[in-house]
Amino acid sequence: MTRWIDAAFVRGGTSKGVFFRADDLPPLADDTGGDDPSAGRDRSAWDAIFTAVIGSPDPFGRQLDGMGGGISSLSKVMVVSASERPGVDLDYTFAQVEITEATVDYSGNCGNLSSGVVPFALLAGLVDAGDGWHVFRLFNTNTGKLVDVGLTVEGGQAAVDGDFTLPGVSGTGAPIELIYPYPAGSRTGALLPTGKASESIDADGIMFDATLIDATLPLVIVPAAAVGLNGDELPERIDADGPAMRVIGDLRRNAAVRMSLSETRETAPQVVPKVAVVTTPTPTRLLDGTTLAAEDADIVVRVISMGQAHRAVPGTAAMCLAAAALVPDTIVNLILTRSERPPAGPELRIGTPSGVVTAAAVRDESTGAVTAASLFRTARVLMRGQVAVPD
């Protein structure tokens, strides 16, 4: 037997995912209250639907029997609802579906797919707006944080056509601005969960310096050389580098414990912390075959997410790197202060395998608080209808 559930397939930034209205899914049981509408609830009914829809588990790693694409950025789900919170338009929950296992991780937010929430909500009738530029306020249940989304509405729907180029996405599109007010402590409660801008941490029996930071998402920032990489490799080469991936995986699990995201290495969540492998700007070969000049980026990064090197950069990771750039003595800040061309303002040009992504952050120098982080994305609803779920 097959059930059919209303859904849409949406590209948001450099990710794609299946979007549902919360009302079209089974209600979550065991409500414990609080600000997070999904906290303390049994998500097993959602998990069964999401893994079936995306096509997991798939031992072949391709998710051919579902809507997933065999890599972490294409194995995602969003659940959206009209918000009952004062001053908030929409609530949304992000679900990262494991590829080779029938598991779903709700431990973090997705900055790329966040750009698709309002376009989906407009199409689904969860919000409405007249033509022109509008800013919608969203509440992310994964992190308990607010996100402001600015975009142009045309004919009651999010504008698609525009001249904004997003590295990793072919063509151009209408810009969508994501602003995260006070993004620090998305999961850990603090910008620097251990109170240190840089610290020594063990990975695979090796001690080296890393920055553990949480702004829009928990992130471990480590120099590329420390994990045996140059930092300019293409994703496929990093994925195939067993020793480097072993060190990165061990680092991630140890950092999860140190950041109080888990009590043990074995129980570390899959989505967070992500690992950002960084290095100084260098001429970098990109996925489209072109070369990124050293002077076109402030820093070069490779982000490891769900055990794979990201083809571009997660939006939340880009904003976290921009925040780290403003905090004295972080790994990113030290690279920039030693650079011949340090950035002059709040924007950080991040060299990724798909090109340069620009993110920005603002820090209150008197308090040290990061008051906002932002970046631009594009999004497009690719399909709407019903998705098949085996009963």
Side-chain angles (χ1 to χ4, degrees):
M1 298 293 293
T2 297
R3 284 186 292 163
W4 295 90
I5 302 177
D6 289 347
F9 197 45
V10 182
R11 178 189 63 78
T14 53
S15 293
K16 289 193 292 188
V18 180
F19 281 57
F20 295 97
R21 289 172 50 117
D23 289 345
D24 293 326
L25 295 173
L28 298 181
D30 301 324
D31 187 5
T32 59
D35 287 337
D36 183 347
S38 62
R41 298 188 182 185
D42 180 7
R43 296 191 182 99
S44 58
W46 281 16
D47 294 352
I49 292 171
F50 297 165
T51 54
V53 166
I54 295 297
S56 295
D58 185 350
F60 302 102
R62 300 179 66 190
Q63 295 174 315
L64 287 178
D65 201 36
M67 302 294 288
I71 58 176
S72 62
S73 59
L74 306 180
S75 187
K76 300 180 175 184
V77 170
M78 280 287 194
V79 181
V80 186
S81 63
S83 182
E84 297 180 356
R85 306 169 193 277
V88 178
D89 298 297
L90 298 164
D91 292 346
Y92 73 100
T93 300
F94 167 63
Q96 177 76 61
V97 180
E98 178 64 75
I99 296 169
T100 59
E101 299 178 10
T103 58
V104 183
D105 195 309
Y106 299 90
S107 61
N109 188 14
C110 175
N112 277 301
L113 275 198
S114 294
S115 64
V117 171
V118 174
F120 168 75
L122 288 165
L123 183 69
L126 295 171
V127 291
D128 57 73
D131 287 1
W133 180 266
H134 294 271
V135 177
F136 299 84
R137 173 148 284 192
L138 282 52
F139 179 84
N140 174 243
T141 67
N142 306 77
T143 61
K145 293 286 188 178
L146 297 171
V147 182
D148 291 332
V149 178
L151 53 72
T152 298
V153 175
E154 294 179 352
Q157 302 299 313
V160 173
D161 296 331
D163 57 7
F164 183 78
T165 300
L166 180 62
V169 179
S170 61
T172 61
I176 297 175
E177 185 176 17
L178 301 177
I179 302 174
Y180 284 58
Y182 293 96
S186 68
R187 293 292 296 179
T188 66
L191 178 65
L192 300 173
T194 66
K196 302 175 183 177
S198 180
E199 58 196 279
S200 184
I201 189 170
D202 171 81
D204 200 36
I206 303 170
M207 299 295 293
F208 51 84
D209 287 341
T211 291
L212 312 183
I213 188 168
D214 181 3
T216 72
L217 94 162
L219 189 67
V220 183
I221 305 172
V222 59
V227 296
L229 296 173
N230 294 327
D232 60 354
E233 295 90 345
L234 290 176
E236 293 83 357
R237 183 175 173 186
I238 296 176
D239 291 346
D241 192 327
M245 292 300 287
R246 184 179 65 249
V247 171
I248 290 170
D250 201 47
L251 168 66
R252 199 191 73 79
R253 289 186 291 272
N254 289 341
V257 175
R258 193 171 290 192
M259 299 171 85
S260 298
L261 294 167
S262 64
E263 293 185 1
T264 67
R265 289 164 33 87
E266 291 72 25
T267 58
Q270 290 292 320
V271 172
V272 293
K274 298 188 190 303
V275 178
V277 177
V278 298
T279 189
T280 55
T282 182
T284 305
R285 191 73 170 169
L286 303 180
L287 287 170
D288 64 1
T290 62
T291 298
L292 174 66
E295 60 268 21
D296 290 340
D298 300 314
I299 194 168
V300 172
V301 64
R302 300 293 184 261
V303 174
I304 312 303
S305 175
M306 300 291 289
Q308 296 176 322
H310 204 280
R311 270 55 183 168
V313 62
T316 46
M319 289 183 281
C320 192
L321 288 164
L326 302 178
V327 180
D329 299 326
T330 65
I331 300 296
V332 176
N333 179 264
L334 292 174
I335 289 176
L336 298 178
T337 55
R338 296 165 183 168
S339 171
E340 296 179 358
R341 297 178 299 274
E347 294 186 340
L348 180 70
R349 300 175 303 163
I350 303 167
T352 81
S354 295
V356 173
V357 171
T358 300
V362 179
R363 180 172 180 263
D364 187 329
E365 295 298 332
S366 62
T367 64
V370 176
T371 57
S374 65
L375 83 166
F376 282 90
R377 306 276 87 181
T378 64
R380 188 165 77 92
V381 177
L382 305 175
M383 181 281 296
R384 65 174 179 176
Q386 293 182 317
V387 66
V389 181
D391 191 357

